[in-house]
Amino acid sequence: MFSQTTGKVIKISDGDTITILLKGNQQKKLRLAEVDCPESGQPFGKSAKQFTSSQVFGKMINFTETSTDRYGRSIAKVYYDNGKYLSKELIKAGMGWWYFSYSKDTSLGKLQENAQREKIGLWQDVHAVAPWEYRKMKRELRNKKNELAKDQLKTKGAA
């Protein structure tokens, strides 16, 4: 297992991605484990980023790397303010989804259910779309546009 490391939060990319400064001025980007926050183009995307910023920006945090994602970013559990778990705080505040595909911690699911029931944060929107669904829709849309562009080129070429 990975060991716990300390660093200072120097950048918030979005609700679930932060950059920290390690010893020796080395920067490291961390993707928060077990939570998926709305993308910047989605409702509550900016709110999630502001929430994360209000919780950890400029602070010393402890983190434990759990794995890496397909982009090579470190996935980590981030702790601050004497043991608060950032992913848990985001879910509790209705600023992110429990990323159940990558988490076995069902207590996070219960926190999400509570936030939904209480209509906290993004759960005020009855049509809230999970970020992984949003990304999938954007990918499919991009692929359709590419197919259309190819078809139009073929049609022009044949004319």
Side-chain angles (χ1 to χ4, degrees):
M1 205 57 200
F2 296 96
S3 64
Q4 202 170 68
T5 314
T6 304
K8 183 178 182 176
V9 180
I10 57 166
K11 184 181 177 207
I12 311 288
S13 301
D14 55 33
D16 55 32
T17 311
I18 64 174
T19 302
I20 55 161
L21 195 60
L22 299 166
K23 284 190 192 103
N25 271 351
Q26 187 190 351
Q27 291 188 20
K28 188 171 189 77
K29 196 172 219 179
L30 301 177
R31 168 72 173 79
L32 302 181
E34 302 187 296
V35 67
D36 200 3
C37 291
E39 298 291 318
S40 54
Q42 281 187 278
F44 288 92
K46 284 186 179 73
S47 303
K49 181 179 178 176
Q50 285 165 343
F51 179 86
T52 297
S53 186
S54 74
Q55 297 299 299
V56 297
F57 184 75
K59 291 184 182 176
M60 291 302 289
I61 54 117
N62 292 312
F63 67 95
T64 306
E65 291 181 67
T66 55
S67 63
T68 51
D69 68 9
R70 59 183 176 177
Y71 305 109
R73 288 180 301 191
S74 294
I75 298 174
K77 293 186 176 189
V78 171
Y79 301 92
Y80 65 106
D81 289 356
N82 299 317
K84 276 186 173 178
Y85 178 35
L86 185 51
S87 298
K88 179 181 176 180
E89 297 303 319
L90 278 157
I91 294 166
K92 204 160 63 173
M95 290 295 147
W97 275 257
W98 172 43
Y99 215 167
F100 59 86
S101 310
Y102 301 98
S103 166
K104 292 176 184 65
D105 186 349
T106 54
S107 73
L108 297 175
K110 296 209 177 8
L111 288 171
Q112 177 176 309
E113 286 167 17
N114 186 58
Q116 279 174 289
R117 197 172 42 253
E118 303 292 326
K119 295 188 173 23
I120 298 169
L122 63 86
W123 301 111
Q124 294 165 42
D125 180 358
V126 289
H127 303 294
V129 175
W132 54 87
E133 292 294 335
Y134 178 80
R135 290 188 295 266
K136 186 178 165 198
M137 289 187 305
K138 285 196 70 142
R139 262 195 317 275
E140 287 170 358
L141 195 64
R142 206 167 39 242
N143 291 342
K144 278 198 180 99
K145 280 182 181 170
N146 289 340
E147 288 302 312
L148 276 172
K150 282 179 193 165
D151 289 346
Q152 286 172 338
L153 282 173
K154 282 180 194 162
T155 313
K156 280 182 184 162

